[in-house]
Amino acid sequence: MLPQQLTKTLAGAALLFSATLPAQAQTKIAADDIREKMQWFADAKLGIFVHWGIYAVNGVDESWSFYNKKISHADYMKQMSGFTASGYNPEAWADLIAESGARYAVITTKHHDGVALWPTKQAHYSVVKNTPAKRDLLTPFFAALDKRNIKRGAYYSLLDWSHKDYPAFTKDSNRYAIKDDPKRWQRFQQFNEAQMQEVATLFKPDLWWFDGDWEHSAEEWNSERIRKNILDAKPAAIINGRLQGYGDYVTPEQNFPVTRPRFNWWELCMTINNNWGYQPQDTAWKTPYEVITIFADAVSNGGNLLLDIGPMQDGTIPPQQVHVLKELGKWNKKHEAAIFGTLGGLPQGHFYGPSTLSKDSATVYLFLPGKVTGDVVLKGLKNKIASIKVVGTGQSLSHKVVGKISWSPVPGLVYIQVPPTVQDDYMSVLELKLDGPVSLYQGMGGLQ
């Protein structure tokens, strides 16, 4: 899809949206309805993921540590006695998330271990009933987000490896085939949907971030009904792509797509080190530069970044994570115009780096990783450039067009001189104002 077409594809967006749903779930959805539903997500660009639970007590893999038999399920669950949340300050969390520049935040309401962070009325584990924290951890966090105009996101694990009626308890002792005991599976479905209804009623998430759908089919999960229940409770809610085809956007995890995903909305979820939850032995911290360049790539390709933090069991956020979020926020504040509310940038081959477009596609933003100086090159631009400025400083730069032949329709190469004095600490950004919506040459050269 050419950049100049991006603002004229509402009908195409409707088709892409319905394409993410199975045939039985597709409905005739007006393009305007889809745009309204997904627009805040498309504009948001950055979310903060929060993995917090009893796994932070011993600093082990969240749920997977017992599933993969690194630790017994009994020993894993003993961590409940050490989960205090004694240093939990949801206002400080929300301040840090706001400072990062994030427009939404997603917290683990319940991971695969089945321990809820809210006072569930179902006969199952919660931090309120089963840990020294003895309080609802979600209500004050979502309230703090509301004060800062940050959208509410609720992670919810569809599977529950600790529930007596789930058919894969630690991969062995509780295994059964649904076809052999459908009533037992029905009991689990009733429990699961009752907890989802609690989350929907108590917290009214703007975004549902499901996980764990891979163990069962859409029919077994009853994904269509789950989606309907969510939208009945809040029609504007959006759902990630882990509901066996009944979601609104795709969610690649940890690994960045090499080519732009074909779906209209997507989000890269990624950790600040190598693990989702707090693990003191994991010191493989990503640097602010690495996070910023990853974020720029995601935005350039029309997506979002959902960057994860893992608080300690007492609710304290490790200083390395605080540092990354603060530095990311400093960069975002300086370059806000080039990031938030923009469109994905130029196709590959036109510029050797990330780029974004204004919504009218008459402004191109070029991101310069690695403290670039000297000439940078833009290829195939048919437009005339009205001005070039450094985002965040307003300094004007000059450019030179090389190789333009007067009688040929093929545009020349645009060379922009970038002096050392304009370098950002992490990544400089240039703003190119054009004479109209961006128009690109994509031919073979010569007389074409």
Side-chain angles (χ1 to χ4, degrees):
M1 183 182 296
L2 295 179
Q4 59 265 38
Q5 296 173 314
L6 289 175
T7 58
K8 302 177 182 178
T9 57
L10 295 180
L15 292 174
L16 282 168
F17 175 81
S18 63
T20 67
L21 302 176
Q24 65 267 31
Q26 292 183 17
T27 57
K28 289 185 178 180
I29 304 172
D32 287 345
D33 292 340
I34 294 173
R35 179 177 61 180
E36 182 178 357
K37 177 187 174 77
M38 296 299 297
Q39 193 60 56
W40 75 260
F41 181 80
D43 290 342
K45 307 305 180 187
L46 178 64
I48 299 300
F49 214 170
V50 182
H51 273 70
W52 193 32
I54 65 170
Y55 38 87
V57 174
N58 293 341
V60 296
D61 298 344
E62 62 292 335
S63 306
W64 291 99
S65 53
F66 72 80
Y67 185 86
N68 291 321
K69 298 190 175 182
K70 294 181 181 178
I71 184 175
S72 71
H73 180 261
D75 285 341
Y76 179 94
M77 299 306 282
K78 286 178 182 177
Q79 292 179 104
M80 289 192 294
S81 65
F83 187 79
T84 67
S86 57
Y88 176 42
N89 185 339
E91 295 290 335
W93 280 23
D95 279 341
L96 180 61
I97 291 168
E99 187 175 351
S100 76
R103 274 36 175 183
Y104 63 106
V106 180
I107 188 169
T108 48
T109 66
K110 185 185 79 165
H111 208 271
H112 311 326
D113 56 20
V115 182
L117 268 60
W118 79 94
T120 180
K121 293 181 179 179
Q122 307 308 305
H124 203 39
Y125 300 111
S126 79
V127 296
V128 182
K129 293 182 290 188
N130 303 105
T131 78
K134 293 192 180 303
R135 58 181 170 134
D136 173 8
L137 301 176
L138 298 183
T139 297
F141 177 61
F142 286 131
L145 294 180
D146 290 346
K147 292 178 188 176
R148 294 154 182 84
N149 199 30
I150 298 170
K151 295 285 189 181
R152 301 175 169 212
Y155 169 107
Y156 185 90
S157 174
L158 288 165
L159 57 82
D160 189 326
W161 288 327
S162 294
H163 195 276
K164 59 182 172 43
D165 288 323
Y166 190 76
F169 177 74
T170 64
K171 299 204 299 191
D172 46 25
S173 63
N174 210 37
R175 181 175 290 279
Y176 70 92
I178 293 174
K179 63 181 177 59
D180 295 333
D181 199 345
K183 289 184 178 179
R184 190 174 182 183
W185 176 248
Q186 187 177 25
R187 287 198 301 270
F188 177 76
Q189 284 181 313
Q190 290 169 347
F191 153 78
N192 213 18
E193 291 180 28
Q195 282 204 325
M196 288 182 228
Q197 186 61 39
E198 289 179 0
V199 172
T201 302
L202 292 171
F203 309 119
K204 300 175 177 59
D206 300 295
L207 182 153
W208 284 77
W209 214 99
F210 285 111
D211 200 9
D213 68 336
W214 59 84
E215 288 198 344
H216 299 284
S217 67
E219 292 74 22
E220 288 172 337
W221 286 124
N222 218 328
S223 297
E224 185 174 6
R225 184 170 70 202
I226 290 172
R227 179 181 176 87
K228 180 180 184 302
N229 290 342
I230 288 172
L231 298 183
D232 284 348
K234 187 169 185 173
I238 64 175
I239 302 169
N240 78 330
R242 301 187 183 191
L243 192 58
Q244 285 292 4
Y246 283 80
D248 300 320
Y249 67 94
V250 294
T251 56
E253 181 172 331
Q254 295 285 42
N255 298 306
F256 193 89
V258 175
T259 58
R260 186 178 300 193
R262 69 181 183 88
F263 295 104
N264 207 48
W265 301 283
W266 69 276
E267 167 196 80
L268 171 66
C269 58
M270 180 171 280
T271 54
I272 278 185
N273 51 4
N274 289 334
N275 288 279
W276 297 103
Y278 172 68
Q279 295 195 29
Q281 74 278 7
D282 182 359
T283 59
W285 302 106
K286 294 179 178 67
T287 66
Y289 174 76
E290 290 164 351
V291 169
I292 287 167
T293 53
I294 291 167
F295 179 39
D297 268 343
V299 175
S300 175
N301 282 280
N304 292 6
L305 174 65
L306 184 62
L307 182 65
D308 180 69
I309 59 174
M312 294 185 275
Q313 66 82 18
D314 66 353
T316 303
I317 299 174
Q320 297 91 339
Q321 299 180 19
V322 172
H323 172 67
V324 170
L325 263 59
K326 284 181 175 288
E327 290 299 291
L328 174 59
K330 183 174 70 175
W331 184 81
N332 280 333
K333 185 176 181 180
K334 180 179 177 181
H335 301 99
E336 181 174 4
I339 303 164
F340 302 102
T342 61
L343 302 173
L346 305 173
Q348 291 182 357
H350 290 278
F351 176 68
Y352 298 123
S355 61
T356 58
L357 300 172
S358 60
K359 283 186 177 177
D360 64 0
S361 71
T363 303
V364 179
Y365 297 99
L366 305 180
F367 294 72
L368 311 180
K371 296 188 176 181
V372 171
T373 58
D375 287 328
V376 296
V377 184
L378 183 60
K379 299 195 302 185
L381 181 67
K382 294 181 179 180
N383 302 78
K384 292 183 179 179
I385 298 174
S387 67
I388 302 176
K389 292 184 178 180
V390 180
V391 177
T393 72
Q395 182 173 340
S396 296
L397 301 182
S398 60
H399 71 282
K400 177 183 179 183
V401 178
V402 174
K404 177 69 179 94
I405 302 173
S406 59
W407 45 262
S408 171
V410 182
L413 304 175
V414 177
Y415 282 81
I416 305 168
Q417 181 69 33
V418 182
T421 55
V422 306
Q423 287 184 353
D424 180 76
D425 289 341
Y426 297 115
M427 180 184 280
S428 302
V429 184
L430 307 184
E431 174 197 79
L432 279 64
K433 293 283 187 182
L434 308 179
D435 60 355
V438 65
S439 179
L440 299 173
Y441 171 79
Q442 295 186 309
M444 299 292 292
L447 297 179
Q448 297 183 7

